[in-house]
Amino acid sequence: MPNATQQPLSDLGTLDTLKRQVLEANLELVRQGLVLFTFGNASGIDRHRGLVVIKPSGVDYAALAPSDMVVTDMDGKVVDGGLRPSSDLATHLLLYKEFPGIGGVVHTHSEYATAWAQAGREIPAFGTTHADYFYGPVPVTEELTQEEIGGDYVHNTGLAISRRFRDLDPLAVPAVLVAGHAPFCWGKTPHEAAHHAAVLETVARMAYYTATLRQGCSGVSQALLDRHYFRKHGANATYGQEK
Ligand SMILES: [Zn+2]
């Protein structure tokens, strides 16, 4: 079987759609006020071919074109694109390997979600806005050890997320807070991952106000969590227009 670098260019050309989707997801982070300067990154995966498209490292969003998106294999080897991939690539790759149902990953340092991550606190399901998107608290990882930080840090960040989701469904809770760092979000597409990042920030802000106004607030009941989550998700979803 030829490796990806030996594929004819016309083959890689079919990634144009994914490159546009990934660029659009990155620009959405800017539009939603979730990133400052060049912070943040979005990626998407072509599962069929085992290739990931990700934002290049440290390039101004305003200057980005679809052709600037970097294509790598699942080992992080660049197979298309003249720029270096985002420095968080190894975390994205690990999430794609561990969570086979996802098609897009987004990382931001959005203010309120990052504040919860820095405090090392999960975001409780305080209300129905949260329950519409996250079936339970948005979890926080354990802190990375000194060895993990000094070693393959970006990869180890992915491992910490994966460990935290050992008993969680990543599609039912499409976000995590990395302790002392910031959130990662994902979705079935890059667009959905960016959407989840925006919702997470809103939910994090509301949760901050809620926890401030009422310490020890216990949040939504299981009945309300179920009612709202399953209204939008699963076989009996009724939200939106009938298809
Ligand atoms: Zn970061």
Side-chain angles (χ1 to χ4, degrees):
M1 217 177 116
N3 68 35
T5 50
Q6 291 167 330
Q7 284 175 333
L9 216 59
S10 58
D11 247 19
L12 283 170
T14 60
L15 282 171
D16 283 354
T17 304
L18 186 56
K19 286 182 184 175
R20 275 197 298 276
Q21 290 171 348
V22 169
L23 172 60
E24 188 50 37
N26 277 290
L27 296 178
E28 179 68 3
L29 304 182
V30 179
R31 282 194 294 266
Q32 296 296 332
L34 304 175
V35 298
L36 195 62
F37 304 121
T38 61
F39 301 178
N41 39 71
S43 70
I45 187 168
D46 181 329
R47 292 268 175 203
H48 183 63
R49 300 163 66 190
L51 295 174
V52 168
V53 175
I54 192 164
K55 175 177 164 278
S57 179
V59 179
D60 212 350
Y61 282 86
L64 285 177
S67 57
D68 293 325
M69 299 299 113
V70 185
V71 183
T72 81
D73 66 15
M74 293 306 284
D75 296 321
K77 184 166 171 289
V78 174
V79 298
D80 184 32
L83 298 166
R84 275 175 43 216
S86 159
S87 55
D88 292 310
L89 171 66
T91 309
H92 290 242
L93 292 175
L94 195 109
L95 293 179
Y96 287 126
K97 285 176 195 161
E98 293 291 316
F99 304 158
I102 68 172
V105 173
V106 160
H107 175 52
T108 80
H109 288 196
S110 67
E111 198 170 339
Y112 282 85
T114 299
W116 286 89
Q118 291 181 168
R121 287 186 61 180
E122 66 176 24
I123 304 175
F126 279 139
T128 63
T129 321
H130 183 122
D132 280 338
Y133 283 89
F134 305 104
Y135 189 55
V138 175
V140 60
T141 66
E142 288 181 344
E143 281 183 36
L144 268 64
T145 64
Q146 213 171 326
E147 289 71 32
E148 286 172 326
I149 295 165
D152 196 348
Y153 169 62
V154 183
H155 177 75
N156 289 336
T157 298
L159 287 178
I161 296 170
S162 157
R163 278 199 302 274
R164 187 62 190 80
F165 272 76
R166 198 173 288 144
D167 300 315
L168 290 174
D169 176 0
L171 291 180
V173 182
V176 69
L177 307 174
V178 176
H181 185 174
F184 277 83
C185 301
W186 47 83
K188 290 186 178 141
T189 61
H191 171 79
E192 193 181 70
H195 183 67
H196 287 159
V199 173
L200 175 69
E201 178 61 5
T202 298
V203 161
R205 188 170 62 241
M206 290 176 175
Y208 173 77
Y209 293 142
T210 306
T212 305
L213 288 167
R214 184 175 162 194
Q215 287 185 12
C217 177
S218 59
V220 289
S221 64
Q222 188 67 43
L224 200 54
L225 183 67
D226 286 351
R227 183 79 181 85
H228 272 265
Y229 185 79
F230 293 113
R231 191 178 65 155
K232 290 186 91 166
H233 306 267
N236 299 315
T238 57
Y239 183 84
Q241 303 303 312
E242 275 188 57
K243 293 193 181 88

